[in-house]
């Protein structure tokens, strides 16, 4: 076994694809919802650890636009857990100084969840600790199309000239307009894909893929991924002497 790499650099923005809840449950002969429930506990642990470690932004892929295609019962279980998380954790997040932000097509979520999200976002808006970004009903391509439509509207209304469309003006129209790009993406459960997550934003992100199923992800697993990140040399396409 190789030694853990020490944490030498804390990334400003960590994004996580929380994968493997179903397989975690299956390995224990439990229903899939048990994996999601344990996954929700892992979210609590990792949010706290990220704040304590001084990470500024943590973006979690909570529910993708493709996840709507899962059986109705599982979608309903996931939405139930989201309600529970928001109800149980709102005060705790606020007490920890966390600022909540949600990205994705929230119009597809149930009205009571939309209200809950708006409530927690409003309550935590002025907090200065970790910004917790939860991607819900989120798809990267759809986000890019949405930004393109807004830019096209600006051009049509004459407030933007086509030649003034730059990477910066375009980025500003994404859900993440005021959030820096992720420095590190972690995906759990051994899968090595980005699955339509933050496609534009991850142009220069470092990827760390780990075999652990999401429900078993904890502070030590986060530290291990940060150690791996610290070993990477980020060149952004340039040559570094
Ligand atoms: C992937 O596991 C995980 C999800 C689809 C959703 C993540 C949800 C949670 C961690 C629960 C609570 C969420 C929040 C935001 C409070 P999978 O079902 O794809 O696992 P599998 O690939 O092993 O089947």
């Amino acid at each position: 076994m190789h030694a853990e790499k020490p944490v030498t650099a804390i990334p400003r923005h960590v994004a996580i694809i929380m994968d493997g809840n179903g397989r975690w449950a299956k390995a224990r002969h439990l229903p899939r919802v048990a994996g999601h429930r344990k996954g929700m506990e892992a979210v609590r642990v990792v949010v706290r650890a990220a704040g304590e470690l001084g990470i500024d932004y943590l973006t979690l892929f909570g529910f993708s636009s493709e996840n709507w295609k899962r059986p109705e019962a599982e979608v309903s279980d996931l939405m139930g857990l989201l309600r529970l998380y928001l109800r149980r954790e709102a005060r705790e997040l606020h007490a920890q100084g966390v600022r909540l932000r949600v990205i994705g097509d929230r119009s597809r979520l149930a009205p009571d969840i939309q209200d809950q999200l708006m409530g927690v976002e409003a309550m935590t808006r002025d907090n200065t600790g970790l910004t917790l970004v939860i991607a819900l009903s989120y798809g990267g391509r759809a986000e890019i199309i949405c930004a393109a439509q807004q830019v096209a509207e600006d051009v049509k209304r004459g407030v933007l000239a086509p030649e003034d469309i730059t990477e910066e003006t375009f980025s500003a129209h994404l859900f993440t307009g005021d959030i820096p790009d992720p420095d590190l993406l972690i995906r759990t459960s051994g899968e090595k894909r980005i699955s339509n997550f933050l496609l534009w934003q991850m142009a220069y992100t470092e990827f760390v893929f780990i075999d652990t199923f999401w429900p078993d992800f904890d502070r030590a697993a986060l530290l291990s991924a940060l150690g791996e990140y610290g070993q990477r040399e980020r060149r952004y396409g340039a040559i570094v002497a």
Side-chain angles (χ1 to χ4, degrees):
M1 227 188 93
H2 63 274
E4 284 288 335
K5 298 167 184 88
V7 177
T8 52
I10 295 290
R12 185 160 184 225
H13 183 172
V14 177
I16 307 184
I17 301 179
M18 309 181 288
D19 199 6
N21 293 352
R23 278 163 287 162
W24 181 93
K26 192 168 180 206
R28 287 161 182 76
H29 308 287
L30 294 169
R32 290 177 61 83
V33 67
H36 295 316
R37 220 176 277 136
K38 184 76 171 30
M40 184 177 84
E41 297 307 322
V43 168
R44 296 179 57 220
V45 169
V46 169
V47 167
R48 177 179 282 271
E52 287 171 359
L53 289 166
I55 291 168
D56 288 336
Y57 297 86
L58 175 67
T59 300
L60 302 178
F61 206 174
F63 193 86
S64 74
S65 34
E66 290 73 31
N67 286 155
W68 291 112
K69 293 185 212 140
R70 291 192 177 196
E72 216 178 296
E74 181 163 350
V75 171
S76 160
D77 285 339
L78 283 166
M79 292 299 149
L81 281 174
L82 179 59
R83 285 189 182 92
L84 182 67
Y85 178 79
L86 293 168
R87 198 168 60 234
R88 268 196 355 200
E89 292 303 306
R91 274 177 199 290
E92 181 58 29
L93 291 175
H94 195 37
Q96 287 174 27
V98 172
R99 181 165 62 130
L100 180 76
R101 280 280 303 273
V102 174
I103 57 171
D105 178 7
R106 43 172 104 200
S107 70
R108 292 186 73 182
L109 300 168
D112 69 297
I113 295 184
Q114 293 187 35
D115 289 348
Q116 261 186 312
L117 293 170
M118 251 181 359
V120 183
E121 281 178 319
M123 176 170 79
T124 61
R125 180 171 299 136
D126 298 325
N127 287 345
T128 55
L130 173 76
T131 297
L132 171 61
V133 184
I134 305 187
L136 294 172
S137 191
Y138 173 88
R141 286 185 175 176
E143 179 187 31
I144 291 170
I145 295 294
C146 184
Q149 286 171 342
Q150 289 175 23
V151 169
E153 275 299 325
D154 286 351
V155 171
K156 194 164 111 187
R157 285 190 298 123
V159 295
L160 184 68
E163 58 274 22
D164 290 335
I165 301 171
T166 61
E167 291 187 13
E168 285 71 29
T169 55
F170 192 83
S171 295
H173 286 85
L174 297 168
F175 295 133
T176 51
D178 55 344
I179 294 174
D181 289 343
D183 302 291
L184 167 65
L185 169 77
I186 302 168
R187 182 170 189 148
T188 58
S189 91
E191 305 293 345
K192 297 180 178 65
R193 299 184 286 276
I194 58 171
S195 299
N196 205 13
F197 192 35
L198 303 174
L199 294 180
W200 171 283
Q201 296 88 337
M202 294 209 288
Y204 289 104
T205 299
E206 294 292 333
F207 290 5
V208 171
F209 297 108
I210 64 169
D211 289 336
T212 309
F213 291 144
W214 174 252
D216 288 328
F217 194 88
D218 58 8
R219 187 188 177 92
L222 178 62
L223 285 171
S224 167
L226 296 183
E228 166 93 37
Y229 169 80
Q231 302 280 308
R232 305 276 176 91
E233 189 188 348
R234 303 187 71 192
R235 293 196 295 269
Y236 301 94
I239 295 172
V240 177

